[in-house]
Every structure is written in C-alpha cells, then in structure tokens.
C-alpha cells in the first residue's frame, strides 16, 4: 500500500487496511496498489460497449467497412431529413460545402470545411447521430456514412471504401487549420491579449460604436417581467414598461399554463413534427389527426406511443419516447393533436 | 425639497412595503420635475410620498397561514416568479441542444441557486438512476475500475466553491451589441459549492501511467455521449468528480448523479452525467474540441484546446434593460471571476473607461470562483457609461473590447471576456452598448 501521501496518520491507514483487505487482495493480484481499492476491477473488454472513442491516429476504430455507395442510402433514410440530401441544410449544422474557404474573405464554416481529421467525423456520428436515435448505427453503417459525408464535400471520390486501416490515412483539406491554444492550456499559460490597468485619462474616447439594433428590440420579450418588480433600479426598456409591470402594486406575474402549441415547442415535438402541412421526421399533427380521429382507442394508443416510442406506423424512423414529459402534458398534447383543426395555426 | 432631490444628495430610506405604483409615480415626478407630469397624470393616482404613509394592517397579519410541510421541498415566494432561467429566442433550433441563461441581474452574493444554474444540453436531459450509474476509469492505467455511486460516496470527499462558465458566454457580443440584458450577455455563468472526490485520488487509485498519461478523455452518458480532452495537470491539480451542488445532490440539469468539475476551465469540459474517464497520451480532437468549441482566429485557422476562462467581470446592477428610477445614491455591484485563480482587484469606470476607481471586493474571495464587487455611486442624472475591469492574481487585466478584437478579430464565438459597457441615459434607461 502506498502510505506516504496520507498526512492524517496511522489510524486512518489501519482502518483502511481493514476495510479494503478483501478488495486489496484482488487488486494486488492485478499488480496495483490502490490506497482504498474501492470500485470493481474490470478488464478493457468489459468496457467495450462504452469505449467507442476514436483518436486521430485511428486508435479505437472498430472492425468493419463501408462505402460511399452504401452510405448514400443510409444517409437518405436516416440523416437527410435533418441535414438535407446534400448536407446543405442549415437547420442544425451544415455538413457540406465551403471546403477551402476558411482562409478566404468569405469563410463558409461547415463540417466539411472545418474538419481536420476524418476520425472525428466517424467518432461523432458513431456516438451521437442520428440525433433522434443515437448509438443505433452499426459500425459498417458509420464507416459508410463517414465516407458519404466526405463525398458530399468532394473530399473523396464515389468509389471510396473505408475501414480501420484506410480511414486514418485520409488527409483532410483543413488538416493544418487547427493549432493548440497553448496560452489557455494551463493557469500559467501566456495570455494572448495584454491590457494595461490604466487608471486616469486612459485612451478611451467614450464614442459609442455599437448599440442594440432596433431590429432586435423586443426580441427577448417584456424585460420588465424578467426580474422582480421591487427596488429603485428595475428591469424594463423604459419607465413606461416598468410602470405597466408594476400596475397592481407589484403583483406577481402569473405563470400561465402553456398553450398546446407552446407545450409542443417546449417539449421538443416540433423539431420532428409540423402542426399542419408536410412531413418532417414524423407525420404532421394534422395527418395524425386525420388518420386516427374517428378511431376508438386512438387516444390510448397514442399515449402509449408517446410513452414508449416506436416505429412502423408512418415509416422506419422511430418516434423517441417522450416519457420525460409529465403524463398530464402528454395527455394535453394528444388531446390537442386529435382535435387540431385542419387549418390549425402553425406556431 | 425639489432642489435637494435634484442635487442627488438626499438618500431615501428603504421603503417598508413593496414599491408599488405610488413609488414609481413619485420617482417619475421627482425625476422629471413637472414637465412630463401632465401626461402621466392621466395614467395613475397622484403621488402620495410627500405625505407620511399611513399604515393599514395587511391581510397576512390578520390570518393564520398554512402550516409547515405545505411545501416539503420549498419554493421561492410567488412574488419572485419573474426570476427564471430564460432562453434567447432564435439562438438554437432544438430545445434538446440549447441553452438557458441565469438571471444574473436578479441575484445577490456569489452563489447561484441550483434551480437557476444555466442549462446547456447537447441531446436533452437524461433521467439517470443513480443505482445503475457507473463511472469507468481505464486506458493507460494499471487496473481499469468501474465505480458505483456507493463506491464514490464512500471515498474521501471535498467541498469547494467554483464558477462554471460556458466557453460561449457573451458569444453574441463579438461583432456588436446584440442582446438586451446581463442575463443574455453573461448568463451562461453560475457558481455553486460542489462536493465530490478529487480526481487525483481516483487517478492514483487506478495506477495511471505517470510518464505517458498526459491527457484524459471525459465522456457523458447522455444521448450526445459528449467527450472532451482534459490535460492531466488540471486533472491532478484541483479537478473533482462531483455529485453534490449547494448541499444537495446535483440537479439533473447539472449532471445528476455525477459530473466532472475542472475549476476555471470552460463549461464544455465539465462533462455532465459523467460515465467514463480514459487516460491517454494524446488529445482526442473530439467534435466538441474541433468542429465546435474551437476559436476561429483572424487568419482563418482555429485555436483549439482553449481551456482556461480568463479574468472577466460584469456589472449586474445597474445593467442593460434596467431603468434607474431616481437620482442620487445607488450601489454599483457586479461579479468578477478568473479561471487562473483569485480576483485581486476590480476597477469601475462611469465614463466609458477613461477614469477608474477601485471597487470593494466582498468576502469571501476564492480561487476560480465568482467574487462580488461593489462601489458607491451618486448618479447625477447625466449620461454615464458604466464599465468594470477585473484583475487576477497572475496580474492579468481584463481587456477592452477593442484590445480583444485587435488580437482575435470578431468571429471567434468563444472566450469573449471583454469589458462590458452599460450606457445610462438621462431618463435613467440603461442599455447595452460598445464604446471605443
């Protein structure tokens, strides 16, 4: 046992020796000398399901392979609805385009233009995509999708097949586009900006070079309702706004029950569903209503679906479980979906 | 009376009841003299403050209130309902990868109430059963280990106060003033007392490779399985694997039941819902440290692994989107912090950075923690440009926006620690501006 590090003396060590003796035997057998020995000794193989990280040198890449050709179909089925068929959608992150533009006057910051190691693309798709069903892809599918996203960026040709040998050897166009921020990597790192602590007549003109653009005023709602209505300094864009908020002598602002549309927005439904109109990842709520409106038991079926998730009624893409929402909210949502008028207002 | 009000020398006693309509009216009247009163008169009852206030016995004095246990887990007064985390409209496309901001303008002292700690998720909020949660430590170690929460709670623990600031805090202000209040300019910042196990202890338990083990990969167990590389020096210095926040277990939003805390380092490295730590000999270049969370520099290249949050400060009262309702005495107060250690000084300017005076630092002043500063101010009713400037124990001085831009341009997104300017107009309205 390593003892030198413990300043608190022998009593504690003795106690620890007693409590850890059982585990310590196992640990010693494995050649380590932990002070406490809590936690279960495991092998790297035990951790395989979690240990999926891939480094720039390729360490961590699994067996398997996938081609640009395979990737196309998988991408269309599982990615295009959010990222666009050509990786062009800026709904979330633009996956493709702008390669080589970063150092120009008009840099286009996309996944493809920024990417410095293809391993990072593999690692991320593997662990986090598709967004609605992370860690559902097979290793072959991840190889194929990595190849396909690179192809969408014209970084590779359409005949590429990737596996653990070939992937780390690919050189990305932006390979030299990153360097470590050494000054930020430790508390004694050298700062890049050095400002003097001038106290009198400092070189500031007091000239206003920017103020809140008129176009964004009001974008954050009524500021007077965003802090407590007491004190001689109150929140509000003007005295009139402060005054209006305080009408009634500083009464609390009731937190109104969210309207169903707002609840659907809050609950994340609208990332995948339109209220009326065409399909996004899932059917529009209007389509759902039209299909089930007259069906007895539809309410219970939909409530069960919201709780458990599942696929097959509209396509292969699964609906994720939304059991994170309180049951009452799920009920309100289903009742609203089943009664949304065909011309219902889009939030 | 009017004269003494205008000179701003009279300090009003704190009012005994809620400042209601009457106070606003009075402030308005005193503020604007008679000029605007004609217009305002139609809106409200005449001001009453000149006469002594006659007291009624309030309703709550004449009643027996609800008993203990009405709220087994307490709630703020319903009159505080406005004090909430809020999102900045249009900032993100999905709630599950989004951010909500801490209402810094409404808080006192240095501790962020746990329910107001800012939120940032990448794949929504996981609902983790602590009995099933595990932490793996492996890689360049003699013996990989898997810890239950039982194991972790049994190990020697420490409690410390630290801030957590998202690397993208104040991102919207790189190019120009963009958002109205300090909640949105600086609210990806919170401070808590954290309790957990020193990471050094866990690394030593694992028999990590002291020669080759220069980096750690930390991974969350949420749907993003978010990963970041941590330098071993920071890991061995003051990093912790924490399970508690402000005396209770972590809130789900902050990583229940387990998160990494690397004090002074940007928020994305404080991996929440922590499930795995791997020791390695090179950085991983994960998506969250290359495609995202890397600083776009003027030469079109990215600076990555920019871990430390440099010294920064902001005045929280008075601040953007507020109205100063009376001339005379007000306290200027705000927050200062540094990822490099303790704050040693905060200066305040009321003329846009030309002249400065030293503010008072309120105890306790702790390393890599929010520090509250304050200074007295007599507002004369004229225009003012309020700024604060933090200096930390390494001597680093928080820069003006223009000094920062000279080196980093305007497109970086991350690590904007520039001095914030709040403009006070003659009508008392405070707005977010940038000055040269």
């Amino acid at each position: 046992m390593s003892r030198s590090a413990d300043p608190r003396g022998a009593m504690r060590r003795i106690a620890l020796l007693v409590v850890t003796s059982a585990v310590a035997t196992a640990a010693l057998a494995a050649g380590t000398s932990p002070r406490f020995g809590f936690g279960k000794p495991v092998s790297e193989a035990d951790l395989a399901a979690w240990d999926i990280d891939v480094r720039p040198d390729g360490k961590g890449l699994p067996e398997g392979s996938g081609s640009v050709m395979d990737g196309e179909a998988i991408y269309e089925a599982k990615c295009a609805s959010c990222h666009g068929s050509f990786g062009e959608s800026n709904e979330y992150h633009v996956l493709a385009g702008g390669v080589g533009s970063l150092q120009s006057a008009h840099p286009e910051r996309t996944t493809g233009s920024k990417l410095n190691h293809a391993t990072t693309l593999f690692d991320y798709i593997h662990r986090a995509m598709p967004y609605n069903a992370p860690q559902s892809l097979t290793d072959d599918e991840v190889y194929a999708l990595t190849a396909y996203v690179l192809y969408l960026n014209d970084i590779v040709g359409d005949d590429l097949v990737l596996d653990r040998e070939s992937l780390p050897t690919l050189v990305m166009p932006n390979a030299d586009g990153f360097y470590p921020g050494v000054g930020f990597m430790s508390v004694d790192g050298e700062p890049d900006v050095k400002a003097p602590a001038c106290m009198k007549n400092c070189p500031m003109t007091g000239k206003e070079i920017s103020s809140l653009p008129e176009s964004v005023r009001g974008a954050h709602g009524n500021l007077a309702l965003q802090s407590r209505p007491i004190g001689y300094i109150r929140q509000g864009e003007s005295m009139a706004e402060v005054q209006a908020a305080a009408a009634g002598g500083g009464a609390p602002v009731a937190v109104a029950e969210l309207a169903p549309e707002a609840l659907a927005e809050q609950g994340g439904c609208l990332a995948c569903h339109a209220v009326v109109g065409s399909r996004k990842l899932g059917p529009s709520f209007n389509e759902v209503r039209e299909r089930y409106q007259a069906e007895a038991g539809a309410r219970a079926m939909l409530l069960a679906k919201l709780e458990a998730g599942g696929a097959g009624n509209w396509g292969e893409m699964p609906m994720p479980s939304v059991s994170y929402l309180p049951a009452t909210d799920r009920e309100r949502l289903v009742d609203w979906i089943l009664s949304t008028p065909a011309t219902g207002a889009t939030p | 009376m009017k004269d003494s009000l205008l000179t701003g020398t009279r300090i009003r006693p704190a009012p005994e009841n809620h400042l209601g309509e009457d106070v606003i009216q009075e402030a308005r009247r005193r503020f604007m003299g008679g000029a605007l009163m004609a217009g305002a008169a139609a809106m409200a009852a005449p001001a009453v403050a000149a006469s002594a206030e006659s007291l009624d016995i309030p309703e709550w004095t004449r009643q027996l209130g609800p008993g203990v246990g009405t709220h087994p887990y307490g709630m703020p007064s319903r009159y505080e309902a406005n004090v909430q985390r809020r999102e900045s409209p249009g900032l993100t496309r999905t709630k599950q990868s989004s951010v909500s901001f801490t209402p810094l303008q409404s808080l006192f002292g240095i501790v962020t109430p746990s329910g107001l700690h800012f939120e940032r998720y990448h794949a929504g909020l996981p609902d983790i059963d602590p009995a099933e949660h595990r932490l793996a430590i492996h890689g360049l170690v003699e013996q990989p280990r898997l810890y239950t929460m039982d194991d972790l709670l049994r190990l020697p623990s420490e409690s410390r106060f630290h801030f957590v600031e998202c690397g993208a805090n104040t991102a919207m202000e790189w190019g120009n003033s963009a958002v109205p209040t300090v909640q949105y300019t600086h609210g990806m910042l919170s401070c808590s007392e954290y309790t957990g196990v020193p990471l050094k202890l866990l690394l030593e338990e694992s028999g990590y490779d002291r020669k080759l083990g220069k980096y750690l990969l930390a991974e969350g167990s949420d749907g993003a399985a978010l990963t970041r590389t941590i330098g071993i020096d920071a890991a061995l210095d003051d990093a912790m694997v924490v399970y508690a926040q402000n005396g209770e277990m972590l809130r789900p939003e902050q990583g229940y039941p387990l998160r990494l805390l690397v004090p002074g380092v940007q928020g994305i490295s404080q991996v929440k819902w922590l499930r795995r730590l791997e020791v390695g000999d090179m950085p991983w270049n994960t998506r969250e440290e290359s495609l995202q969370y890397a600083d776009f520099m003027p030469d079109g290249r990215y600076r990555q692994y920019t871990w430390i949050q440099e010294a920064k400060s902001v005045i929280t009262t008075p601040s953007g989107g507020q109205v100063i309702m009376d001339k005379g005495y007000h306290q200027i107060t705000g927050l200062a912090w540094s990822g490099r250690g303790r704050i040693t000084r905060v200066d305040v300017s009321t003329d846009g950075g030309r002249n400065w005076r030293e503010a008072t630092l309120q105890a306790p002043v702790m390393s890599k923690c929010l520090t509250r500063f304050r200074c007295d101010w007599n507002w004369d009713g004229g225009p003012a440009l309020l700024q604060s400037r933090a200096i930390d124990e390494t001597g680093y001085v928080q820069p003006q926006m223009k000094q920062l831009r000279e080196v980093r341009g305007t497109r970086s997104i991350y690590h904007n620690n520039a001095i914030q300017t709040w403009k006070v107009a003659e009508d008392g309205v405070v707005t977010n501006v940038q000055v040269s």
Side-chain angles (χ1 to χ4, degrees), chain B residues 11 33 73 76 97 101 117 127 137 146 155 160 162 186 190 209 247 287 294 299 308 347 359 365-366 379 386 428 430:
Chain B
I11 297 175
Y73 194 107
S97 177
F101 298 80
H117 191 297
D127 177 23
I137 299 185
L146 196 59
L155 284 165
R160 272 188 268 126
H162 289 296
H186 289 76
S190 296
D209 186 327
R287 181 246 185 180
D299 66 358
I308 304 279
D347 300 321
V365 176
M366 295 181 276
W379 182 45
L386 308 183
V430 188

Side-chain angles (χ1 to χ4, degrees), chain B residues 198-423:
Chain B
L199 184 49
K200 183 171 196 251
L201 187 155
L202 291 172
L203 286 169
E204 283 171 352
E205 286 287 292
S206 74
Y208 77 99
D209 186 327
R210 281 157 208 258
K211 222 171 100 216
L212 296 176
K214 293 291 171 222
Y215 300 95
L216 271 183
L217 183 77
E219 181 180 78
S221 62
D222 57 329
L226 188 135
T227 44
R228 275 289 303 207
T229 301
I230 313 294
I232 197 79
D233 292 342
L236 293 173
D237 180 12
D238 52 2
M240 299 198 273
V241 167
V242 308
Y243 41 75
Q245 170 186 11
N246 298 332
E248 59 185 357
M249 284 294 282
L250 288 167
R251 290 290 172 96
E253 298 94 315
Q254 272 72 60
Y256 185 90
L258 198 66
R259 85 176 299 174
L260 186 63
L261 186 75
V262 193
V265 168
Q266 61 180 349
I268 184 81
S269 298
Q270 326 286 342
V271 175
K272 299 192 279 190
W273 313 296
L274 181 71
R275 76 164 183 204
R276 191 165 69 93
L277 291 166
E278 180 175 352
V279 182
D281 58 0
M282 60 161 74
W284 272 260
N285 194 70
T286 73
R287 181 246 185 180
E288 314 298 348
E289 56 201 18
S290 58
L291 293 172
Q292 309 298 328
Y293 299 94
D295 304 43
F296 195 46
M297 300 300 283
D299 66 358
R301 296 172 73 214
Y302 282 90
R303 189 153 70 183
Q304 71 181 148
Y305 306 120
T306 40
W307 293 327
I308 304 279
Q309 294 294 103
E310 296 186 297
K312 187 167 170 182
S313 69
V314 67
I315 294 171
T316 52
T317 311
S319 58
Q322 296 185 332
V323 181
I324 309 176
M325 293 164 53
D326 195 8
K327 286 172 212 167
Y329 177 80
H330 294 282
Q331 188 175 61
I332 293 178
T333 173
L335 296 164
W337 63 100
S338 168
R340 289 202 163 94
R342 273 182 188 73
I343 290 294
T344 49
R345 198 174 101 198
V346 175
D347 300 321
V348 167
S349 168
T350 54
D351 62 3
R354 257 165 302 173
N355 297 290
W356 297 84
R357 63 186 160 119
E358 203 175 323
T360 303
L361 300 187
Q362 188 164 290
V365 176
M366 295 181 276
S367 182
K368 304 175 185 177
C369 182
L370 294 188
T371 296
R372 173 70 63 178
F373 65 86
R374 53 175 203 248
C375 76
D376 294 334
W377 184 44
N378 255 338
W379 182 45
D380 60 7
L385 293 167
L386 308 183
Q387 295 189 339
S388 65
R389 174 177 73 190
I391 302 176
D392 71 17
E393 62 181 295
T394 69
Y396 177 88
V397 181
Q398 183 185 6
Q400 290 282 3
M401 193 75 224
K402 64 177 177 185
Q403 293 163 332
L404 195 63
R405 284 187 182 139
E406 270 163 26
V407 178
R408 307 210 197 137
T410 57
R411 306 178 300 186
S412 158
I413 300 180
Y414 305 103
H415 298 107
N416 178 355
N417 68 325
I419 289 172
Q420 169 71 43
T421 310
W422 303 121
K423 172 180 161 178

Side-chain angles (χ1 to χ4, degrees), chain A residues 12 19 27 30-32 34-42 44 47 50-51 53 55-57 59 90-93 102-103 107 109 111 114-117 120 124 127-128 131 134-135 176-181 183-187 189 191-193 195-213 216 219-220 223 225-239 242-243 246-247 250 252-253 265-268 324, chain B residues 12 18-19 21 23-25 28 78-80 82 86 88-89 93-97 105-106 108 122 134 136 138-139 142-147 151 154-156 176-180 184 205 217 219 223-225 227 275-276 278 281-282 284-285 287 290-292 296-297 299-308 310 317 321-323 325 330 339-340 345 347 352-356 385 389 396-397 399-400 402-403 407-408 411 423 429 432-436:
Chain A
R12 169 133 153 236
V19 298
T32 64
R35 206 170 119 207
F36 300 95
F38 304 159
K40 197 166 97 189
V42 289
E44 291 287 349
L47 301 174
W50 287 6
D51 182 13
D53 57 87
R55 303 198 309 194
D57 61 356
K59 183 170 172 291
N90 66 359
E91 181 78 16
Y92 303 116
H93 287 277
L102 292 180
Q103 283 154 44
R109 294 190 256 181
T111 305
K114 288 188 276 188
L115 192 67
N116 55 342
H117 293 289
T120 301
Y124 182 69
R127 69 177 57 249
Y131 194 52
Q135 304 204 1
D176 296 329
F178 284 77
Y179 58 95
F184 290 81
M185 292 173 77
S186 66
V187 283
D192 61 341
V193 180
C198 164
M199 292 301 281
K200 290 266 167 280
N201 300 316
C202 308
M204 289 295 288
T205 64
K207 197 172 141 250
E208 194 174 305
I209 51 171
S210 175
S211 62
L212 217 52
V216 306
H220 288 75
L223 303 181
L225 302 183
Q226 299 181 19
S227 192
R228 62 181 67 83
I230 53 173
Y232 272 93
I233 297 178
R234 292 195 197 175
Q235 206 152 281
E237 269 190 271
S238 63
M239 189 74 109
V242 169
Q243 190 163 21
V253 184
E265 167 71 34
Q266 281 275 343
Y324 53 82
Chain B
R12 267 181 62 89
H18 289 298
L19 299 194
E21 186 93 347
V23 169
I24 295 178
Q25 281 303 318
R28 192 182 173 95
R78 65 198 180 96
Y79 293 92
E80 293 292 304
N82 289 346
R86 289 172 197 279
S88 186
R93 302 296 177 99
T94 134
K95 292 263 177 195
Q96 282 86 353
S97 177
Q105 73 277 18
S106 310
F108 306 96
H122 284 260
R134 297 288 182 274
H138 71 122
E142 277 177 52
Q143 176 58 64
R145 283 180 184 276
L146 196 59
Y147 290 90
D151 297 329
R154 186 177 177 186
L155 284 165
N176 53 274
S177 304
V179 288
Y184 306 110
E205 286 287 292
L217 183 77
E219 181 180 78
T227 44
R275 76 164 183 204
R276 191 165 69 93
E278 180 175 352
D281 58 0
M282 60 161 74
W284 272 260
N285 194 70
R287 181 246 185 180
S290 58
L291 293 172
Q292 309 298 328
F296 195 46
M297 300 300 283
D299 66 358
R301 296 172 73 214
Y302 282 90
R303 189 153 70 183
Q304 71 181 148
Y305 306 120
T306 40
W307 293 327
I308 304 279
E310 296 186 297
T317 311
Q322 296 185 332
V323 181
M325 293 164 53
H330 294 282
R340 289 202 163 94
R345 198 174 101 198
D347 300 321
R354 257 165 302 173
N355 297 290
W356 297 84
L385 293 167
R389 174 177 73 190
Y396 177 88
V397 181
Q400 290 282 3
K402 64 177 177 185
Q403 293 163 332
V407 178
R408 307 210 197 137
R411 306 178 300 186
K423 172 180 161 178
V429 170
N432 177 10
V433 299
Q434 296 182 356
V435 294
S436 63

Side-chain angles (χ1 to χ4, degrees), chain A:
Chain A
M1 306 287 274
S2 123
R3 297 169 185 193
S4 53
D6 188 348
R8 267 165 286 189
M11 281 305 289
R12 169 133 153 236
R13 284 197 293 270
I14 290 164
L16 289 170
L17 279 172
V18 176
V19 298
T20 61
S21 58
V23 213
T25 321
L28 283 172
T32 64
S33 50
R35 206 170 119 207
F36 300 95
F38 304 159
K40 197 166 97 189
V42 289
S43 69
E44 291 287 349
D46 294 330
L47 301 174
W50 287 6
D51 182 13
I52 57 169
D53 57 87
V54 178
R55 303 198 309 194
D57 61 356
K59 183 170 172 291
L61 281 169
E63 303 277 341
S65 71
S67 67
V68 170
M69 293 303 184
D70 303 335
E72 182 172 10
I74 307 165
Y75 182 91
E76 270 305 320
K78 300 190 173 175
C79 321
S81 56
C82 287
H83 292 293
S85 282
F86 305 98
E88 81 292 355
S89 167
N90 66 359
E91 181 78 16
Y92 303 116
H93 287 277
V94 182
L95 298 188
V99 173
S101 72
L102 292 180
Q103 283 154 44
S104 75
H106 300 287
E108 257 185 79
R109 294 190 256 181
T110 74
T111 305
S113 73
K114 288 188 276 188
L115 192 67
N116 55 342
H117 293 289
T119 47
T120 301
L121 188 59
F122 181 99
D123 174 272
Y124 182 69
I125 296 173
H126 195 192
R127 69 177 57 249
M129 287 293 133
Y131 194 52
N132 52 310
Q135 304 204 1
S136 63
L137 300 169
T138 65
D139 294 344
D140 286 350
E141 285 178 317
V142 180
Y143 276 113
L145 287 165
T146 305
Y148 191 68
V149 173
L150 294 175
Y151 167 76
L152 286 176
N153 279 285
D154 296 325
I155 295 174
V156 301
D158 62 6
D159 54 351
L160 182 77
V161 181
L162 283 180
D163 60 21
R164 70 196 305 177
E165 306 303 326
S166 60
L167 193 147
T169 65
L170 295 175
V171 178
M172 293 299 104
N174 197 38
D176 296 329
F178 284 77
Y179 58 95
V182 179
F184 290 81
M185 292 173 77
S186 66
V187 283
D188 45 16
E190 177 83 1
D192 61 341
V193 180
K194 293 189 186 71
C198 164
M199 292 301 281
K200 290 266 167 280
N201 300 316
C202 308
M204 289 295 288
T205 64
K207 197 172 141 250
E208 194 174 305
I209 51 171
S210 175
S211 62
L212 217 52
E214 209 51 54
S215 58
V216 306
R217 297 237 169 152
H220 288 75
N222 185 342
L223 303 181
L225 302 183
Q226 299 181 19
S227 192
R228 62 181 67 83
I230 53 173
Y232 272 93
I233 297 178
R234 292 195 197 175
Q235 206 152 281
E237 269 190 271
S238 63
M239 189 74 109
E241 202 179 89
V242 169
Q243 190 163 21
V253 184
V255 184
E257 195 176 58
L258 286 173
E261 287 94 332
L263 191 58
E265 167 71 34
Q266 281 275 343
C269 320
L270 302 185
C272 301
H273 295 282
V275 178
V276 282
S278 59
R279 261 181 218 201
K280 289 166 93 176
L281 221 56
S284 77
F285 287 152
N286 199 37
E287 285 178 281
V288 175
R289 184 190 59 86
E290 274 168 13
R291 182 184 289 186
Y292 298 117
Q293 204 178 19
E295 238 173 73
R299 185 175 189 269
M301 186 281 279
L302 292 179
L303 280 172
K305 181 91 161 207
L306 259 58
E307 180 157 13
N313 285 348
W314 301 86
E316 278 173 39
M317 182 72 78
M319 157 86 185
S321 158
V322 292
S323 60
Y324 53 82
L325 292 175
T328 48
D329 283 356
R330 279 179 266 142
E331 282 166 24
R332 284 184 62 212
L333 282 165
V334 166
D335 291 340
W336 170 66
I337 291 165
L338 288 174
S339 65
T340 318
T343 53
T346 315

